[in-house]
Amino acid sequence: MSYFDAASAAPLHPVARQALLASLDEGWADPSRPYREGRRARLLLDAAREAAAEAVGCRPDELVFTSSGTRAVHTGIAGALAGRRRIGRHLIVSAVEHSSVLHSAEVFEADGGTVTQVPVDRTGAVTVQGYADALRPDTALACLQSANHEVGTEQPVAAVAEACRAAGVPLLVDAAQSLGWGPVGGDWSLLAASAHKWGGPSGVGLLVVRKGVRFAPQGPADERESGRSPGFENLPAVVAAAASLRAVRAEAEREAARLRELTERIRSRVPALVPDVEVVGDPVRRLPGTVTFSCLYVDGETLLHELDRAGFSVSSGSSCTSSTLTPSHVLRAMGVLSEGNVRVSLPPGTPAEDVERFLEVLPGAVAAVRDKLAAPASEAVVRDDALVVDALGRRCPIPVIELAKVIGDVPVGGRVRVLSDDEAARLDIPAWCEMRGQEYVGEEPADRGSAYVVRRLS
């Protein structure tokens, strides 16, 4: 079985396993106690904090360990907003942030704050000007991920941090996806990360708050971790997290170059092997091991099952794999195809042979899924000089499949109206038009769902 979902959780690093087992015997006592066992535990905790701080590029007393990366994000945003409440109640986030950031923004907005979402381009990157334009006198905090978790695009963190610093606004960086590859550059103010993304154990996060940043911890007071992460420290996991971070950093330069070659192999060969595929994300400024592509006329969940049966564990941002039946907010913000979406994120150590085997298996898996979905005939009628396709009640990618079937039945310059009540159609039909050289006219209201109007150009 080839595990290609390291962006969700990387396999436990051997160093993490060794450190975890060793610290179970030495780090079980309360590190706040002055007796021998407590002092021994305190030494382990302090050493882990120093190692993690060195990897991040901060002072040890600026870093605390949390129960997860999500907890680090929630704590960091809430504390920074509370600490700067007198400045204002305005928060800036990008449209492609991790759900932990966006959920924090929703809570803040429900409590009376205002939130600005900075849009991204088709590669998934924000512009520095976009953040500069969003800054206001009452901006309390800005947030920006270092690299995107779904498509791998790296963000211009250093330049955004400079713009925020000039305006006197702290920047919180979600570095969950990138910290294992290297420190985050720029004059950022707060940083959050998660150990299971770099091969540490799950249940350990990092939160860094630079000296001088106004920060007011929320919730009941607790004396541990500078009052920013309540509860007894999971010391064995913390030690393993810090040890594995140091270990992956030592291997990062060599392994990054190797994984970049493998993902470039996937980026360049998938469109040649599989027709009607869109590779998404920035082709250059991206994480070493992540590559994402979307396949037209493919149900994402079925494709993932096909690949699983073939021995490959991958993930997807397709609406078809979500219980909400709505496309990924990241793919939606980018304006790219969401149906049949596959994210391949290679863990360090992935053999080149596994990638070659994936490229051999993928075309057959996609073809098998397309064969299964080719059946239903659309109900197409001519109404108001437009061909109307009734795809109501049919989920992705059926509306797009039905559009593709009938576009040739109208003359050049003629229109097709696709009726659909699937949220994914709002994203996938315009994306299909761009891929196939047709004109997306726009969305119109309908008695049920929406009507998506396409004009045939060729």
Side-chain angles (χ1 to χ4, degrees), residues 79-107:
L81 289 173
R84 288 174 51 83
R85 190 181 182 96
R86 292 184 179 178
I87 301 296
R89 298 270 286 156
H90 178 232
L91 170 66
I92 302 172
V93 300
S94 85
V96 294
E97 293 299 312
H98 187 268
S99 59
S100 60
V101 174
L102 298 182
H103 290 163
S104 290
E106 290 171 2
V107 170

mmCIF file of all heavy atoms in Angstrom, residues 79-107:
data_model
loop_
_atom_site.group_PDB
_atom_site.id
_atom_site.type_symbol
_atom_site.label_atom_id
_atom_site.label_comp_id
_atom_site.label_asym_id
_atom_site.label_seq_id
_atom_site.Cartn_x
_atom_site.Cartn_y
_atom_site.Cartn_z
ATOM 1 N N GLY A 79 -6.661 34.970 21.408
ATOM 2 C CA GLY A 79 -5.822 35.756 22.315
ATOM 3 C C GLY A 79 -5.341 37.051 21.697
ATOM 4 O O GLY A 79 -5.305 38.096 22.367
ATOM 5 N N ALA A 80 -4.970 37.012 20.419
ATOM 6 C CA ALA A 80 -4.496 38.225 19.754
ATOM 7 C C ALA A 80 -5.634 39.229 19.560
ATOM 8 O O ALA A 80 -5.453 40.439 19.755
ATOM 9 C CB ALA A 80 -3.869 37.867 18.408
ATOM 10 N N LEU A 81 -6.806 38.742 19.182
ATOM 11 C CA LEU A 81 -7.950 39.646 19.013
ATOM 12 C C LEU A 81 -8.355 40.281 20.337
ATOM 13 O O LEU A 81 -8.667 41.475 20.397
ATOM 14 C CB LEU A 81 -9.134 38.881 18.409
ATOM 15 C CG LEU A 81 -8.999 38.467 16.938
ATOM 16 C CD1 LEU A 81 -10.158 37.567 16.534
ATOM 17 C CD2 LEU A 81 -8.934 39.698 16.029
ATOM 18 N N ALA A 82 -8.339 39.488 21.409
ATOM 19 C CA ALA A 82 -8.694 40.024 22.723
ATOM 20 C C ALA A 82 -7.655 41.024 23.209
ATOM 21 O O ALA A 82 -7.990 42.062 23.798
ATOM 22 C CB ALA A 82 -8.856 38.885 23.724
ATOM 23 N N GLY A 83 -6.390 40.717 22.943
ATOM 24 C CA GLY A 83 -5.325 41.612 23.381
ATOM 25 C C GLY A 83 -5.344 42.957 22.675
ATOM 26 O O GLY A 83 -4.846 43.950 23.208
ATOM 27 N N ARG A 84 -5.906 42.988 21.472
ATOM 28 C CA ARG A 84 -5.933 44.235 20.695
ATOM 29 C C ARG A 84 -7.354 44.752 20.511
ATOM 30 O O ARG A 84 -7.658 45.485 19.569
ATOM 31 C CB ARG A 84 -5.274 44.001 19.333
ATOM 32 C CG ARG A 84 -3.765 43.838 19.436
ATOM 33 C CD ARG A 84 -3.135 43.461 18.109
ATOM 34 N NE ARG A 84 -3.528 44.322 17.012
ATOM 35 C CZ ARG A 84 -2.971 45.507 16.723
ATOM 36 N NH1 ARG A 84 -1.997 45.993 17.495
ATOM 37 N NH2 ARG A 84 -3.389 46.221 15.681
ATOM 38 N N ARG A 85 -8.228 44.402 21.435
ATOM 39 C CA ARG A 85 -9.630 44.806 21.330
ATOM 40 C C ARG A 85 -9.787 46.324 21.291
ATOM 41 O O ARG A 85 -10.670 46.843 20.610
ATOM 42 C CB ARG A 85 -10.419 44.219 22.505
ATOM 43 C CG ARG A 85 -11.927 44.387 22.361
ATOM 44 C CD ARG A 85 -12.667 43.816 23.552
ATOM 45 N NE ARG A 85 -14.109 43.948 23.390
ATOM 46 C CZ ARG A 85 -14.910 42.998 22.928
ATOM 47 N NH1 ARG A 85 -14.397 41.823 22.598
ATOM 48 N NH2 ARG A 85 -16.207 43.205 22.797
ATOM 49 N N ARG A 86 -8.926 47.041 22.005
ATOM 50 C CA ARG A 86 -9.030 48.509 22.015
ATOM 51 C C ARG A 86 -8.641 49.112 20.664
ATOM 52 O O ARG A 86 -9.066 50.227 20.333
ATOM 53 C CB ARG A 86 -8.163 49.098 23.118
ATOM 54 C CG ARG A 86 -8.665 48.778 24.523
ATOM 55 C CD ARG A 86 -7.807 49.468 25.567
ATOM 56 N NE ARG A 86 -8.278 49.190 26.919
ATOM 57 C CZ ARG A 86 -7.703 49.636 28.027
ATOM 58 N NH1 ARG A 86 -6.609 50.402 27.927
ATOM 59 N NH2 ARG A 86 -8.185 49.336 29.213
ATOM 60 N N ILE A 87 -7.830 48.374 19.899
ATOM 61 C CA ILE A 87 -7.436 48.862 18.576
ATOM 62 C C ILE A 87 -8.623 48.804 17.627
ATOM 63 O O ILE A 87 -8.856 49.719 16.824
ATOM 64 C CB ILE A 87 -6.274 48.034 18.016
ATOM 65 C CG1 ILE A 87 -5.061 48.097 18.961
ATOM 66 C CG2 ILE A 87 -5.902 48.482 16.613
ATOM 67 C CD1 ILE A 87 -4.464 49.467 19.111
ATOM 68 N N GLY A 88 -9.368 47.697 17.693
ATOM 69 C CA GLY A 88 -10.513 47.531 16.804
ATOM 70 C C GLY A 88 -10.982 46.104 16.755
ATOM 71 O O GLY A 88 -10.434 45.217 17.429
ATOM 72 N N ARG A 89 -11.980 45.881 15.936
ATOM 73 C CA ARG A 89 -12.618 44.559 15.870
ATOM 74 C C ARG A 89 -12.672 44.101 14.412
ATOM 75 O O ARG A 89 -13.702 43.641 13.921
ATOM 76 C CB ARG A 89 -14.031 44.636 16.457
ATOM 77 C CG ARG A 89 -14.079 45.040 17.923
ATOM 78 C CD ARG A 89 -14.018 43.838 18.809
ATOM 79 N NE ARG A 89 -15.280 43.107 18.789
ATOM 80 C CZ ARG A 89 -15.397 41.818 19.077
ATOM 81 N NH1 ARG A 89 -14.345 41.108 19.369
ATOM 82 N NH2 ARG A 89 -16.597 41.233 19.061
ATOM 83 N N HIS A 90 -11.530 44.222 13.746
ATOM 84 C CA HIS A 90 -11.454 43.827 12.335
ATOM 85 C C HIS A 90 -10.367 42.768 12.168
ATOM 86 O O HIS A 90 -9.244 42.923 12.645
ATOM 87 C CB HIS A 90 -11.126 45.042 11.449
ATOM 88 C CG HIS A 90 -10.994 44.705 9.998
ATOM 89 N ND1 HIS A 90 -9.891 45.074 9.254
ATOM 90 C CD2 HIS A 90 -11.804 44.014 9.147
ATOM 91 C CE1 HIS A 90 -10.043 44.638 8.015
ATOM 92 N NE2 HIS A 90 -11.198 44.002 7.930
ATOM 93 N N LEU A 91 -10.725 41.688 11.472
ATOM 94 C CA LEU A 91 -9.826 40.555 11.241
ATOM 95 C C LEU A 91 -9.691 40.336 9.743
ATOM 96 O O LEU A 91 -10.669 40.405 8.999
ATOM 97 C CB LEU A 91 -10.396 39.293 11.906
ATOM 98 C CG LEU A 91 -9.744 37.949 11.596
ATOM 99 C CD1 LEU A 91 -8.318 37.906 12.152
ATOM 100 C CD2 LEU A 91 -10.572 36.801 12.168
ATOM 101 N N ILE A 92 -8.462 40.040 9.306
ATOM 102 C CA ILE A 92 -8.197 39.742 7.894
ATOM 103 C C ILE A 92 -7.731 38.294 7.776
ATOM 104 O O ILE A 92 -6.841 37.854 8.517
ATOM 105 C CB ILE A 92 -7.116 40.669 7.311
ATOM 106 C CG1 ILE A 92 -7.535 42.135 7.438
ATOM 107 C CG2 ILE A 92 -6.834 40.326 5.861
ATOM 108 C CD1 ILE A 92 -6.429 43.107 7.054
ATOM 109 N N VAL A 93 -8.330 37.556 6.844
ATOM 110 C CA VAL A 93 -7.905 36.188 6.541
ATOM 111 C C VAL A 93 -7.878 36.038 5.023
ATOM 112 O O VAL A 93 -8.482 36.831 4.305
ATOM 113 C CB VAL A 93 -8.851 35.131 7.155
ATOM 114 C CG1 VAL A 93 -8.909 35.262 8.663
ATOM 115 C CG2 VAL A 93 -10.254 35.242 6.558
ATOM 116 N N SER A 94 -7.203 35.026 4.543
ATOM 117 C CA SER A 94 -7.286 34.731 3.107
ATOM 118 C C SER A 94 -8.460 33.793 2.868
ATOM 119 O O SER A 94 -8.928 33.106 3.778
ATOM 120 C CB SER A 94 -5.982 34.098 2.605
ATOM 121 O OG SER A 94 -5.975 32.697 2.821
ATOM 122 N N ALA A 95 -8.921 33.733 1.628
ATOM 123 C CA ALA A 95 -10.073 32.899 1.281
ATOM 124 C C ALA A 95 -9.747 31.419 1.288
ATOM 125 O O ALA A 95 -10.660 30.596 1.220
ATOM 126 C CB ALA A 95 -10.596 33.304 -0.093
ATOM 127 N N VAL A 96 -8.459 31.070 1.384
ATOM 128 C CA VAL A 96 -8.068 29.652 1.301
ATOM 129 C C VAL A 96 -7.448 29.146 2.601
ATOM 130 O O VAL A 96 -6.778 28.111 2.607
ATOM 131 C CB VAL A 96 -7.089 29.426 0.128
ATOM 132 C CG1 VAL A 96 -7.783 29.690 -1.195
ATOM 133 C CG2 VAL A 96 -5.834 30.285 0.266
ATOM 134 N N GLU A 97 -7.678 29.846 3.702
ATOM 135 C CA GLU A 97 -7.132 29.396 4.977
ATOM 136 C C GLU A 97 -7.714 28.038 5.384
ATOM 137 O O GLU A 97 -8.793 27.643 4.935
ATOM 138 C CB GLU A 97 -7.434 30.421 6.070
ATOM 139 C CG GLU A 97 -6.727 31.734 5.915
ATOM 140 C CD GLU A 97 -5.219 31.617 5.938
ATOM 141 O OE1 GLU A 97 -4.673 30.952 6.844
ATOM 142 O OE2 GLU A 97 -4.578 32.189 5.033
ATOM 143 N N HIS A 98 -7.017 27.378 6.271
ATOM 144 C CA HIS A 98 -7.517 26.128 6.849
ATOM 145 C C HIS A 98 -8.817 26.408 7.598
ATOM 146 O O HIS A 98 -9.054 27.522 8.073
ATOM 147 C CB HIS A 98 -6.473 25.548 7.805
ATOM 148 C CG HIS A 98 -6.804 24.191 8.325
ATOM 149 N ND1 HIS A 98 -7.489 23.991 9.499
ATOM 150 C CD2 HIS A 98 -6.556 22.957 7.817
ATOM 151 C CE1 HIS A 98 -7.638 22.688 9.695
ATOM 152 N NE2 HIS A 98 -7.086 22.041 8.698
ATOM 153 N N SER A 99 -9.665 25.399 7.681
ATOM 154 C CA SER A 99 -10.966 25.583 8.327
ATOM 155 C C SER A 99 -10.839 26.068 9.766
ATOM 156 O O SER A 99 -11.730 26.766 10.270
ATOM 157 C CB SER A 99 -11.766 24.279 8.284
ATOM 158 O OG SER A 99 -11.054 23.231 8.934
ATOM 159 N N SER A 100 -9.750 25.730 10.454
ATOM 160 C CA SER A 100 -9.582 26.192 11.836
ATOM 161 C C SER A 100 -9.524 27.711 11.902
ATOM 162 O O SER A 100 -10.057 28.323 12.835
ATOM 163 C CB SER A 100 -8.322 25.581 12.458
ATOM 164 O OG SER A 100 -7.160 25.946 11.727
ATOM 165 N N VAL A 101 -8.893 28.339 10.923
ATOM 166 C CA VAL A 101 -8.836 29.803 10.859
ATOM 167 C C VAL A 101 -10.202 30.369 10.486
ATOM 168 O O VAL A 101 -10.689 31.322 11.108
ATOM 169 C CB VAL A 101 -7.765 30.251 9.848
ATOM 170 C CG1 VAL A 101 -7.811 31.770 9.660
ATOM 171 C CG2 VAL A 101 -6.383 29.817 10.298
ATOM 172 N N LEU A 102 -10.827 29.791 9.474
ATOM 173 C CA LEU A 102 -12.114 30.304 9.014
ATOM 174 C C LEU A 102 -13.201 30.119 10.063
ATOM 175 O O LEU A 102 -14.077 30.978 10.216
ATOM 176 C CB LEU A 102 -12.510 29.624 7.707
ATOM 177 C CG LEU A 102 -11.551 29.854 6.529
ATOM 178 C CD1 LEU A 102 -12.073 29.180 5.267
ATOM 179 C CD2 LEU A 102 -11.328 31.346 6.279
ATOM 180 N N HIS A 103 -13.165 29.024 10.807
ATOM 181 C CA HIS A 103 -14.141 28.832 11.879
ATOM 182 C C HIS A 103 -13.924 29.850 12.996
ATOM 183 O O HIS A 103 -14.890 30.353 13.584
ATOM 184 C CB HIS A 103 -14.045 27.413 12.429
ATOM 185 C CG HIS A 103 -14.536 26.368 11.471
ATOM 186 N ND1 HIS A 103 -14.232 25.037 11.599
ATOM 187 C CD2 HIS A 103 -15.299 26.474 10.356
ATOM 188 C CE1 HIS A 103 -14.790 24.368 10.601
ATOM 189 N NE2 HIS A 103 -15.443 25.218 9.837
ATOM 190 N N SER A 104 -12.670 30.148 13.314
ATOM 191 C CA SER A 104 -12.392 31.200 14.303
ATOM 192 C C SER A 104 -12.934 32.541 13.829
ATOM 193 O O SER A 104 -13.485 33.319 14.613
ATOM 194 C CB SER A 104 -10.885 31.309 14.556
ATOM 195 O OG SER A 104 -10.392 30.199 15.251
ATOM 196 N N ALA A 105 -12.786 32.804 12.524
ATOM 197 C CA ALA A 105 -13.293 34.050 11.960
ATOM 198 C C ALA A 105 -14.816 34.106 12.056
ATOM 199 O O ALA A 105 -15.391 35.168 12.332
ATOM 200 C CB ALA A 105 -12.848 34.193 10.503
ATOM 201 N N GLU A 106 -15.482 32.977 11.836
ATOM 202 C CA GLU A 106 -16.946 32.929 11.945
ATOM 203 C C GLU A 106 -17.400 33.251 13.369
ATOM 204 O O GLU A 106 -18.367 33.989 13.578
ATOM 205 C CB GLU A 106 -17.449 31.552 11.527
ATOM 206 C CG GLU A 106 -17.325 31.266 10.039
ATOM 207 C CD GLU A 106 -17.635 29.820 9.706
ATOM 208 O OE1 GLU A 106 -17.984 29.051 10.637
ATOM 209 O OE2 GLU A 106 -17.527 29.443 8.526
ATOM 210 N N VAL A 107 -16.711 32.685 14.350
ATOM 211 C CA VAL A 107 -17.057 32.951 15.750
ATOM 212 C C VAL A 107 -16.864 34.429 16.068
ATOM 213 O O VAL A 107 -17.697 35.062 16.734
ATOM 214 C CB VAL A 107 -16.203 32.068 16.685
ATOM 215 C CG1 VAL A 107 -16.371 32.496 18.144
ATOM 216 C CG2 VAL A 107 -16.584 30.600 16.529
#
